[in-house]
Amino acid sequence: QVQLVESGGGLVQAGDSLKLSCAASGRTNSVQFMGWFRQPPGKERDFVGAIRWRWGGGVIGYADSVKGRFTISRDIAENTVYLQMNNLEPEDAAVYYCAAAVRSHYSDYLNTLEYNYWGQGTQVTVSS
C-alpha cells in the first residue's frame, strides 16, 4: 500500500501563490506516476497535472486551465510531490488531492480511475 498526505493549502487572494506538498510513504517503489486533482464544492473532481515518479520525474501533462501558472515537481529523496501554484484565480478554489498510479498506463493520466491511492485532500480558498 501507499499512503499520501497533502499539505500546504490555505486562504489566499487572487494573484497570490501557494505551494502544495504530497508526502508519500509505504510501497513507493510500486508507483509509476503521480497526479494532482481538484474538486470545487458541488462539482466533479478534475485533473490538474501528472508527473512520472521514476526515470527522472518528467512532467506528463497539465490541464489547459493551469498551463503556465502551475508547476508539478518531484523530490525523490523526500518522497514528495509538489504543486507550485502561481497567479491563483477564484476558479482555482477547491480541495486538492494527490494520487498515485501503480500501472504504466501513461496515456490515461487524465482518468481518475487510473490512480490507485489517494490522499485526504487539502483546501485551497481564493478570494477576489
Side-chain angles (χ1 to χ4, degrees):
Q1 294 183 346
V2 177
Q3 294 81 45
L4 304 172
V5 180
E6 303 97 334
S7 62
L11 173 62
V12 299
Q13 294 184 329
D16 286 352
S17 297
L18 199 62
K19 188 173 185 178
L20 306 182
S21 299
C22 174
S25 60
R27 297 185 62 191
T28 57
N29 59 353
S30 69
V31 176
Q32 299 301 317
F33 59 96
M34 302 277 286
W36 283 98
F37 292 79
R38 65 187 184 185
Q39 186 168 15
K43 297 184 179 180
E44 296 290 328
R45 182 171 49 188
D46 292 327
F47 170 78
V48 176
I51 189 170
R52 297 178 186 269
W53 182 249
R54 300 176 179 274
W55 292 282
V59 174
I60 301 172
Y62 294 101
D64 288 342
S65 59
V66 306
K67 286 182 179 178
R69 298 188 299 120
F70 290 11
T71 303
I72 188 171
S73 61
R74 180 214 67 188
D75 187 337
I76 193 68
E78 298 292 334
N79 281 325
T80 302
V81 173
Y82 302 97
L83 184 67
Q84 177 66 52
M85 305 183 293
N86 297 328
N87 194 25
L88 284 162
E89 304 169 353
E91 293 76 17
D92 297 316
V95 176
Y96 282 71
Y97 299 91
C98 66
V102 300
R103 296 179 293 269
S104 298
H105 297 170
Y106 297 104
S107 62
D108 293 327
Y109 66 93
L110 298 169
N111 191 348
T112 59
L113 297 179
E114 283 296 320
Y115 295 84
N116 305 96
Y117 303 99
W118 294 84
Q120 82 288 347
T122 185
Q123 177 72 55
V124 174
T125 304
V126 184
S127 64
S128 58

